[in-house]
């Protein structure tokens, strides 16, 4: 079993407060986040972009594995995940993660598309998300 961790520190009320996010690897070390970085576009991180980064990375790795299984070669994968935070009742909810992926490489196009659909539903982050997941695939 693999265990990874990240942590968040927060001080103050929701709108004026400030926090930092850190990861076990040190890739993020006291990265600032807050209401203004989440809802007002100010510099810093936010939970949705972190989920998007995790989803894009996980999907890309899963797709790489699936493409290997179908014999694709010289593979280059570029994936973007747009995570949507929508008003829901008195709060907010992540409603959708929209994956956009470009695959370059050699292989059967139908097999590549099938592999991508398999990676979309099979990657661990997709399995963890309780939202709609879409995929816009370009094979270059």
């Amino acid at each position: 079993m693999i265990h990874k961790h990240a942590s968040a520190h927060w001080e103050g009320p929701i709108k004026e407060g400030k926090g930092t996010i850190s990861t076990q690897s040190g890739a993020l070390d006291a990265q600032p986040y807050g209401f203004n970085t989440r809802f007002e576009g100010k510099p810093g991180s936010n939970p949705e972009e972190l989920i998007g980064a995790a989803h894009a990375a996980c999907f890309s790795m899963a797709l790489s594995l699936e493409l290997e299984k179908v014999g694709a070669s010289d593979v280059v994968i570029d994936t973007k995940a747009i995570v949507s935070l929508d008003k829901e009742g008195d709060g907010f909810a992540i409603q959708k993660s929209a994956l956009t992926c470009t695959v370059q490489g050699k292989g059967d196009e139908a097999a590549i598309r099938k592999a991508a659909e398999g990676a979309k539903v099979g990657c661990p982050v997709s399995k963890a998300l309780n939202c709609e997941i879409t995929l816009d695939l370009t094979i270059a």
Side-chain angles (χ1 to χ4, degrees), residues 44-126:
S45 191
N46 60 72
E48 292 71 37
E49 79 173 2
L50 296 171
I51 291 168
H55 198 195
C58 187
F59 169 81
S60 295
M61 291 178 74
L63 180 53
S64 174
L65 174 63
E66 294 301 316
L67 291 174
E68 187 176 320
K69 289 179 184 176
V70 298
S73 61
D74 300 325
V75 172
V76 177
I77 300 167
D78 289 296
T79 306
K80 179 180 183 178
I82 299 174
V83 174
S84 300
L85 181 68
D86 298 304
K87 185 81 170 127
E88 184 176 88
D90 291 338
F92 291 86
I94 293 173
Q95 299 285 342
K96 183 177 184 178
S97 182
L99 297 168
T100 303
C101 178
T102 299
V103 175
Q104 297 177 15
K106 298 174 185 166
D108 177 69
E109 183 172 332
I112 292 171
R113 290 192 180 281
K114 185 175 180 181
E117 284 299 320
K120 181 184 92 170
V121 297
C123 91
V125 173
S126 288

Side-chain angles (χ1 to χ4, degrees), residues 30-48:
Q31 175 66 41
Y33 81 105
F35 184 89
N36 61 359
T37 64
R38 192 174 197 184
F39 296 105
E40 298 171 354
K42 300 293 182 187
S45 191
N46 60 72
E48 292 71 37

Side-chain angles (χ1 to χ4, degrees), residues 10-49:
W10 184 264
E11 295 180 12
I14 185 67
K15 286 192 176 181
E16 297 81 21
K18 295 180 182 175
T20 58
I21 304 165
S22 299
T23 58
Q24 176 181 347
S25 68
L28 296 177
D29 185 15
Q31 175 66 41
Y33 81 105
F35 184 89
N36 61 359
T37 64
R38 192 174 197 184
F39 296 105
E40 298 171 354
K42 300 293 182 187
S45 191
N46 60 72
E48 292 71 37
E49 79 173 2

